[in-house]
Amino acid sequence: MNELIIPVDAKAGTPLYQQICEYFKQEIQEGRLTAGMRLPSSRALAASLSVSRSTVDLSYGQLVSEGYIESIPCKGYYVCQIEGIYFPVQEKERKAEPEKRDFQGKERYRYDFAMNGIAPDSFPHNTWKKLSKQVLSHTGEELFNLGNPYGEISLRKAIAEYLYQARGVHCTPEQILVGAGNDYLLMLLCTILGKNKKVAMENPTYESAWYDFRHMGYTMCTVGQDDQGILVEDLEKTKAEVVYVMPSHQFPMGTVMPLKRRMELLCWASSSGSYIVEDDYDSEFRYRGKPIPALQGFDQADCVIYMGTFSKSIAPSIRISYMVLPKRLMERYQKAGHPFSVTVSKVDQKIVELFLKDGHYERHLNRMRSLYKSKHDRILKWLKEDMGRVCTYSGENAGIHLLIHFRNGLSEQEAVKRAKEVGIRVYGLSEFMVNGQVPPEEATILLGYATLDEKDLQQALQCLEEIWT
Amino acid sequence: MNELIIPVDAKAGTPLYQQICEYFKQEIQEGRLTAGMRLPSSRALAASLSVSRSTVDLSYGQLVSEGYIESIPCKGYYVCQIEGIYFPVQEKERKAEPEKRDFQGKERYRYDFAMNGIAPDSFPHNTWKKLSKQVLSHTGEELFNLGNPYGEISLRKAIAEYLYQARGVHCTPEQILVGAGNDYLLMLLCTILGKNKKVAMENPTYESAWYDFRHMGYTMCTVGQDDQGILVEDLEKTKAEVVYVMPSHQFPMGTVMPLKRRMELLCWASSSGSYIVEDDYDSEFRYRGKPIPALQGFDQADCVIYMGTFSKSIAPSIRISYMVLPKRLMERYQKAGHPFSVTVSKVDQKIVELFLKDGHYERHLNRMRSLYKSKHDRILKWLKEDMGRVCTYSGENAGIHLLIHFRNGLSEQEAVKRAKEVGIRVYGLSEFMVNGQVPPEEATILLGYATLDEKDLQQALQCLEEIWT
């Protein structure tokens, strides 16, 4: 092989050593150089190509590293025996297929009464930018090291303080786990609770949580609810080890669980040794009176797992939620060792911490509340004055959606269909039913009002009135 | 109860309606008002307190919402029957216990040869700040809505492009899942693969992954390795359904798996219908020749799960990793429906996308590589010139750590202990052994050099020479 001519070009974009590598790789891949063949010595090859010997050494080193050739001491370089070698075709379908719809297959609507967004322009842009700049100005390595797996303690202190004052939650910062969204926290919770548990949920319910538990391999069951929330007697019969509830504002029914039912639920948990997951997702928004304290604050048996999020109050895209574990569960997680790394960046944790501490959050919530209350009142007025003949409503005074119950024989399906025909997306109650069950016969439609601005809301309501009455 | 006197004070910080609420709550909690007792009419109470009637209505409404009283139409308000009522003690242990050590119980050292950080001041501060400002300047609602559960498609396109060019990975953007760190992605992977799988890993290995699988309830086993990587014959015997390897640079051994072994491994996976998890955690750092292409690029049987991260190349604290799924697994995940929400904020996804697209990442990697190469060469020189008598070394030319093998009878334990006595943290190989196994008798110490600056490195090496020779 001493007469080997390799087409190297010192002026080409790729370095010489790489050109040599590529040449040999191709020869081997295409079968012209086969296992056991000896390559020219680096001295000879360097001379024949008029390149430096170190260039050839570098090429050979790379080929050895990648396993194409091997070096036999005092003998030279030989092509390796490689079974089943096959090589990827270059440029193999790298292009993404075009996105015809959004990722959920959603079509675009003129007006969308969605329940999972925030008011347009309500994100606290200026504050966030200012805090972000402030945080990123710290150049200390602390900001870039892997952080506390449970979340930075300073953020957890700020959350504990907020939860105590605003929600009546009683916990130490050490009971808090910070995570990137509720789905993630539920996943994490399942690993702490252990395999194969049975979880009870109301129906209709927050379906994401239902599917999170299912994906984690848990057994699921549904329990009835009335206008005070989950039916504890029914719950007892299921023998569930965990129940998932939203006492401040059940999604999607909008029910507020009164104290009596809460006490019954706590009593069930403590006597059966079960856990209650309290999802307090939108308790910040209440338009009459002050927010109702969390169930967790009444828990004496260390059995409530409290979940909160900044998705509803700041923005869904920032991916910061938290979970307050009962002490015994936190201890179990700590004792198991090797916790999962935190899922929220340190920069974001610091921004939220400052947002909470410096009073920005409180001011922001007040602004949001007044924004939402105005829209809430607008819909309520419409329901009373313009729609009173055909429907009743429920779930008012809290959250960011209302429920309409038709009394004029209009079916849910028909109501949704008619709205769609005029470019309006409304949500039928059956969309939130799990376990293959169907909702009660009465047609119920949900109207979320967070993401529509006042003008659009006004127009959408007018349209709906025309097509529904 | 008409003569009721409530000590309300219009000048106090809390609103009047709230003072009224608090009064009634206390009366009920402490048993002075009991179930079934009727409250004064709002008209009468307003008159007796000289407050407006709407203030009293607001108080009563709140008490009803919270379940303390109930309204009986045409009769009035009555105290509810509440079983087992007990109330949280105010100010109950809210203070965090002081942090004596860091969260991992780590003590502070003068010099730490850690393997999980980045070079001080190497974080691309200015670019990051600039991009962050740029991203946050977009006020469109798109930035704040809940995003694509798999990760934004524009970021996934940028990653696919980068992986193809830099790592020889062949995938469409649709095969990529973006997530907040490897622990999270492994958790997610387990939910896609299904329950109760058997996973094989080398030993010593990347222990976080070992514990992630264990926390997910998987059965674990270890397989031998030699200087070419995992022993495929051993692997066959385990009947594992998944194997976790780091072919570009095994952690902690620093082994590079040659092509022949890679092909054997692929052959095992395709013939046994198993999956290979290829963790390509630090392949960006290679100081001789160019990076070795990923195993995934040779996979024809759709059986390699490729994992990459920006933790090593940008910073551990930013929490952005990604996983390329075989098409059949991605289809399975999509078909199951209701995917877990994404765990990385949209802002961070956009920043990383711009970082990749605008060539910042390439420039940043070049800078990091030269920084690490200089420290790598410094240690290598020390090992050859000053330590040659007492030890050999391995794992050079790649990554951010080297392995030292003592030949002078010094035990691992003794080497670590002596270093600790002079304030230096070095890592014994046994720290990375899983499954209760012990490392081979030869004492092996790992030195990570990413986080030490050149001056500290120089001093630490001098110290180590004194105590180890």
Short mmCIF file of all heavy atoms in Angstrom, two decimals, chain B residues 63-87:
data_model
loop_
_atom_site.label_atom_id
_atom_site.label_comp_id
_atom_site.label_asym_id
_atom_site.label_seq_id
_atom_site.Cartn_x
_atom_site.Cartn_y
_atom_site.Cartn_z
N LEU B 63 -67.98 33.60 55.47
CA LEU B 63 -68.15 32.53 56.47
C LEU B 63 -68.91 31.34 55.87
O LEU B 63 -68.63 30.19 56.18
CB LEU B 63 -68.88 33.07 57.71
CG LEU B 63 -68.06 34.02 58.59
CD1 LEU B 63 -68.96 34.75 59.59
CD2 LEU B 63 -66.96 33.28 59.33
N VAL B 64 -69.84 31.64 54.97
CA VAL B 64 -70.57 30.57 54.28
C VAL B 64 -69.61 29.80 53.39
O VAL B 64 -69.55 28.58 53.40
CB VAL B 64 -71.77 31.13 53.46
CG1 VAL B 64 -72.34 30.06 52.55
CG2 VAL B 64 -72.86 31.68 54.39
N SER B 65 -68.80 30.58 52.61
CA SER B 65 -67.85 29.95 51.69
C SER B 65 -66.91 29.01 52.43
O SER B 65 -66.56 27.95 51.95
CB SER B 65 -66.99 30.99 51.00
OG SER B 65 -67.76 31.79 50.18
N GLU B 66 -66.49 29.45 53.60
CA GLU B 66 -65.54 28.64 54.33
C GLU B 66 -66.21 27.55 55.15
O GLU B 66 -65.56 26.74 55.78
CB GLU B 66 -64.67 29.53 55.24
CG GLU B 66 -63.83 30.50 54.45
CD GLU B 66 -62.75 31.16 55.28
OE1 GLU B 66 -62.33 30.56 56.29
OE2 GLU B 66 -62.32 32.27 54.93
N GLY B 67 -67.52 27.55 55.13
CA GLY B 67 -68.24 26.44 55.76
C GLY B 67 -68.48 26.60 57.25
O GLY B 67 -68.83 25.64 57.93
N TYR B 68 -68.31 27.82 57.81
CA TYR B 68 -68.55 28.01 59.24
C TYR B 68 -70.04 28.17 59.53
O TYR B 68 -70.52 27.74 60.57
CB TYR B 68 -67.81 29.26 59.75
CG TYR B 68 -66.34 29.03 59.92
CD1 TYR B 68 -65.46 29.24 58.87
CD2 TYR B 68 -65.82 28.58 61.15
CE1 TYR B 68 -64.11 29.02 59.02
CE2 TYR B 68 -64.47 28.37 61.30
CZ TYR B 68 -63.61 28.59 60.24
OH TYR B 68 -62.28 28.37 60.39
N ILE B 69 -70.72 28.86 58.61
CA ILE B 69 -72.15 29.08 58.82
C ILE B 69 -72.88 28.68 57.54
O ILE B 69 -72.27 28.52 56.49
CB ILE B 69 -72.47 30.56 59.17
CG1 ILE B 69 -72.06 31.50 58.00
CG2 ILE B 69 -71.74 30.98 60.44
CD1 ILE B 69 -72.48 32.95 58.23
N GLU B 70 -74.19 28.49 57.65
CA GLU B 70 -74.95 28.24 56.42
C GLU B 70 -76.17 29.15 56.39
O GLU B 70 -76.65 29.62 57.42
CB GLU B 70 -75.36 26.77 56.33
CG GLU B 70 -76.22 26.30 57.49
CD GLU B 70 -76.37 24.78 57.52
OE1 GLU B 70 -76.52 24.18 56.45
OE2 GLU B 70 -76.34 24.21 58.64
N SER B 71 -76.60 29.40 55.16
CA SER B 71 -77.73 30.29 54.99
C SER B 71 -78.97 29.44 54.73
O SER B 71 -78.98 28.61 53.83
CB SER B 71 -77.45 31.21 53.79
OG SER B 71 -78.66 31.74 53.33
N ILE B 72 -79.98 29.63 55.56
CA ILE B 72 -81.22 28.91 55.30
C ILE B 72 -82.24 29.93 54.77
O ILE B 72 -82.57 30.89 55.47
CB ILE B 72 -81.75 28.20 56.57
CG1 ILE B 72 -80.67 27.18 57.03
CG2 ILE B 72 -83.09 27.50 56.31
CD1 ILE B 72 -81.03 26.40 58.27
N PRO B 73 -82.66 29.75 53.51
CA PRO B 73 -83.50 30.77 52.87
C PRO B 73 -84.71 31.17 53.72
O PRO B 73 -85.36 30.31 54.31
CB PRO B 73 -83.93 30.11 51.55
CG PRO B 73 -82.86 29.10 51.28
CD PRO B 73 -82.41 28.61 52.61
N CYS B 74 -85.00 32.42 53.77
CA CYS B 74 -86.11 33.01 54.51
C CYS B 74 -85.99 32.87 56.03
O CYS B 74 -86.91 33.23 56.77
CB CYS B 74 -87.47 32.44 54.07
SG CYS B 74 -87.67 32.46 52.29
N LYS B 75 -84.88 32.30 56.51
CA LYS B 75 -84.74 32.14 57.96
C LYS B 75 -83.53 32.91 58.49
O LYS B 75 -83.65 33.66 59.45
CB LYS B 75 -84.63 30.65 58.33
CG LYS B 75 -85.95 29.90 58.09
CD LYS B 75 -85.86 28.46 58.56
CE LYS B 75 -86.34 28.31 60.01
NZ LYS B 75 -86.27 26.90 60.45
N GLY B 76 -82.40 32.73 57.84
CA GLY B 76 -81.22 33.45 58.32
C GLY B 76 -79.97 32.60 58.27
O GLY B 76 -79.94 31.55 57.61
N TYR B 77 -78.96 33.04 58.99
CA TYR B 77 -77.66 32.35 58.99
C TYR B 77 -77.49 31.53 60.27
O TYR B 77 -77.75 32.04 61.36
CB TYR B 77 -76.52 33.35 58.88
CG TYR B 77 -76.47 34.01 57.51
CD1 TYR B 77 -77.09 35.24 57.29
CD2 TYR B 77 -75.80 33.39 56.46
CE1 TYR B 77 -77.04 35.83 56.04
CE2 TYR B 77 -75.75 33.97 55.21
CZ TYR B 77 -76.37 35.20 55.00
OH TYR B 77 -76.32 35.78 53.76
N TYR B 78 -77.02 30.29 60.11
CA TYR B 78 -76.88 29.40 61.27
C TYR B 78 -75.47 28.82 61.33
O TYR B 78 -74.85 28.55 60.29
CB TYR B 78 -77.89 28.25 61.19
CG TYR B 78 -79.30 28.75 61.37
CD1 TYR B 78 -80.01 29.31 60.31
CD2 TYR B 78 -79.91 28.68 62.63
CE1 TYR B 78 -81.28 29.79 60.48
CE2 TYR B 78 -81.21 29.16 62.80
CZ TYR B 78 -81.89 29.72 61.72
OH TYR B 78 -83.15 30.21 61.90
N VAL B 79 -74.97 28.59 62.52
CA VAL B 79 -73.65 27.97 62.68
C VAL B 79 -73.74 26.51 62.24
O VAL B 79 -74.69 25.81 62.59
CB VAL B 79 -73.17 28.06 64.15
CG1 VAL B 79 -71.84 27.33 64.33
CG2 VAL B 79 -73.05 29.52 64.58
N CYS B 80 -72.76 26.07 61.45
CA CYS B 80 -72.77 24.70 60.94
C CYS B 80 -72.34 23.68 61.99
O CYS B 80 -71.64 24.00 62.94
CB CYS B 80 -71.80 24.56 59.77
SG CYS B 80 -72.32 25.42 58.30
N GLN B 81 -72.73 22.43 61.70
CA GLN B 81 -72.28 21.29 62.48
C GLN B 81 -70.95 20.84 61.86
O GLN B 81 -70.91 20.43 60.71
CB GLN B 81 -73.34 20.18 62.36
CG GLN B 81 -72.97 18.87 63.02
CD GLN B 81 -72.99 19.00 64.54
OE1 GLN B 81 -73.90 19.57 65.12
NE2 GLN B 81 -71.94 18.47 65.18
N ILE B 82 -69.87 20.94 62.57
CA ILE B 82 -68.57 20.54 62.02
C ILE B 82 -67.91 19.54 62.95
O ILE B 82 -67.61 19.85 64.10
CB ILE B 82 -67.64 21.76 61.86
CG1 ILE B 82 -68.34 22.83 61.01
CG2 ILE B 82 -66.32 21.36 61.22
CD1 ILE B 82 -67.72 24.20 61.14
N GLU B 83 -67.72 18.32 62.45
CA GLU B 83 -67.13 17.26 63.29
C GLU B 83 -65.62 17.44 63.41
O GLU B 83 -64.94 17.81 62.46
CB GLU B 83 -67.39 15.87 62.68
CG GLU B 83 -68.84 15.44 62.66
CD GLU B 83 -69.48 15.35 64.05
OE1 GLU B 83 -68.75 15.13 65.02
OE2 GLU B 83 -70.71 15.53 64.15
N GLY B 84 -65.11 17.19 64.56
CA GLY B 84 -63.65 17.12 64.74
C GLY B 84 -62.91 18.39 64.41
O GLY B 84 -61.83 18.35 63.87
N ILE B 85 -63.54 19.52 64.69
CA ILE B 85 -62.88 20.77 64.31
C ILE B 85 -61.69 21.03 65.24
O ILE B 85 -61.78 20.88 66.45
CB ILE B 85 -63.88 21.94 64.33
CG1 ILE B 85 -63.30 23.15 63.61
CG2 ILE B 85 -64.32 22.30 65.73
CD1 ILE B 85 -64.35 24.22 63.31
N TYR B 86 -60.56 21.30 64.63
CA TYR B 86 -59.40 21.71 65.42
C TYR B 86 -58.62 22.69 64.57
O TYR B 86 -58.58 22.58 63.35
CB TYR B 86 -58.51 20.54 65.84
CG TYR B 86 -58.44 19.40 64.87
CD1 TYR B 86 -58.01 19.59 63.56
CD2 TYR B 86 -58.78 18.10 65.28
CE1 TYR B 86 -57.95 18.54 62.68
CE2 TYR B 86 -58.73 17.06 64.39
CZ TYR B 86 -58.31 17.28 63.08
OH TYR B 86 -58.24 16.23 62.21
N PHE B 87 -58.03 23.64 65.17
CA PHE B 87 -57.45 24.72 64.37
C PHE B 87 -55.96 24.84 64.56
O PHE B 87 -55.43 24.60 65.64
CB PHE B 87 -58.17 26.03 64.68
CG PHE B 87 -59.52 26.00 64.02
CD1 PHE B 87 -60.60 25.37 64.62
CD2 PHE B 87 -59.66 26.55 62.75
CE1 PHE B 87 -61.82 25.31 63.98
CE2 PHE B 87 -60.89 26.48 62.12
CZ PHE B 87 -61.98 25.86 62.73
#
